[in-house]
Amino acid sequence: MDSIKAPRGTRDVLGDESWKWARVLDVTRGVADDFGFKEVMLPIFEHTELFSRGIGDTTDVVEKEMYTFIDKGDRSITLRPELTASMVRAYLEHDMRHLSQPLKLWGWGPMFRYERPQKGRYRQFAQIDFETLGASNPLADVEIIDSSMEIYRRLGLSNLQVLINSVGCPKCRPAYRDTLKAYFESSAHELCDSCRGRLDRNPLRILDCKQPACRALTDNAPSVIDSLCDECREHFATVTQGLERLGANVKLDNRLVRGLDYYTKTAYEILSGDLGAQNAVCGGGRYDNLAEAIGGPHVPGVGFASGVERIVITMEAQGAYLGNEPKPDVYVISSVQDGTYDAAVIAHELRESGLSADMDFMGRSIKSQMKIASQNGAKFVCVIGDSEAASGTAGVKNMATGEQETVPRGSVVENIKNKIS
Ligand code: HAM
């Protein structure tokens, strides 16, 4: 019988990688604290309607990529493909509108999209997600973009490009949609199959098609910026000027439209030069009508999400500091089979005193245990060989200097603690 493998598009994050994730999350939590975002933990599955109404029925995410099933109570349930709709749902459900505004929330966890897997693109992936709810002020957009950039700055990432655009609002977008449709209709035969389909349903999405023929056509397409209403134009100007004042290196990209329908006004992405084809490390923007789309009152919002796998890939490619792989302070080595109690007691006491300690359970020789201690990067070893067991002592060896001494069993912990401090 074939052994069972993890499903396509998922990956096991093992012990040689998980500590890198811990660094990403530590830094993210630090940025969240410094910007005043509170962590929330939301369900991994939601009613399907939340996403079909929130993200938009004609988006790839809703049309093709959702993991949807009928549960035992006959409800249509979907594994969340993103966090923004859930954030807004939670805000409405817990009446956060009546708290002091805005609400700045952040969260992280696995998301699910049935996409074609490739490097940096998975069917289960993790996002960190920041949302500011209840503020229409463009300075909230500036802060959101700044908070995402601050995470990458603290992680030591470089070679990133921040692209920004405005996608307008329901007042000015319909006219732009029509202009764009008319523009593409005259050369519809040159568009790829998917874009020909988008022509009626969502012509803005043609702007970010990666097919060379479509890209060539979009080069001369009318710019959304020229169609913005006064409110959207002013909003965009304040956002771009604000970012300039912060010294942020941001590039305008009139083709940036994003793949989720809820965006209004600001849309932005951060691309990494070290990711290959799936180069977006972060995406976000404003979504002033999302709350209404899912049945709530008007609640303006702006936020971003960033893929943890893509952050880690970028960090690895750039040789950024990935954090320290946890290593034991002490590896406790014992030669006496029934003396393993001694090793267990010493390891217990070391841990109780605040040090990290590890020991052998496999009955290995002293030599093999020493090898493992060295492979595990232990700073010290504590050896209870036959003679130490007989004399109630233990050998303490500094693995970096090779220095060793024999100490009474009762003072092992103190001895090592003094040496480490
Ligand atoms: P998104 O652009 O769909 O936006 O995803 C944000 C980020 O999640 C991407 O830039 C990428 O780093 C990562 N990502 C997306 N799909 C995958 C995948 N299949 N495999 C690995 N990583 C992936 C959103 O999700 C919006 N909710 C962002 C947002 C928050 N807008 C406003 N607030």
Side-chain angles (χ1 to χ4, degrees), residues 363-380:
R364 290 186 176 88
S365 68
I366 291 237
K367 205 169 151 207
S368 305
Q369 291 184 53
M370 195 59 106
K371 207 166 148 195
I372 289 189
S374 163
Q375 278 166 0
N376 289 358
K379 296 187 193 97
F380 285 85

Side-chain angles (χ1 to χ4, degrees), residues 61 65 81-85 111-113 115 118 120-131 152 258-260 262-263 268-270 275 278-287 301-311:
V61 171
E65 296 170 3
E82 58 114 50
L83 210 46
T84 312
M111 310 294 151
F112 306 85
R113 296 185 193 176
E115 293 196 84
Q118 63 181 88
R121 186 164 70 191
Y122 312 101
R123 290 181 176 168
Q124 176 178 332
F125 58 96
Q127 282 184 343
I128 50 177
D129 182 285
F130 282 44
E131 311 289 350
Y152 307 129
R258 311 271 304 125
L260 311 160
Y262 50 59
Y263 290 108
Y268 84 104
E269 275 184 5
I270 302 183
L275 271 175
Q278 297 306 314
N279 60 354
V281 74
C282 173
R286 179 163 279 284
Y287 47 86
V302 60
F304 76 85
S306 182
V308 179
E309 291 84 353
R310 292 189 192 180
I311 297 176

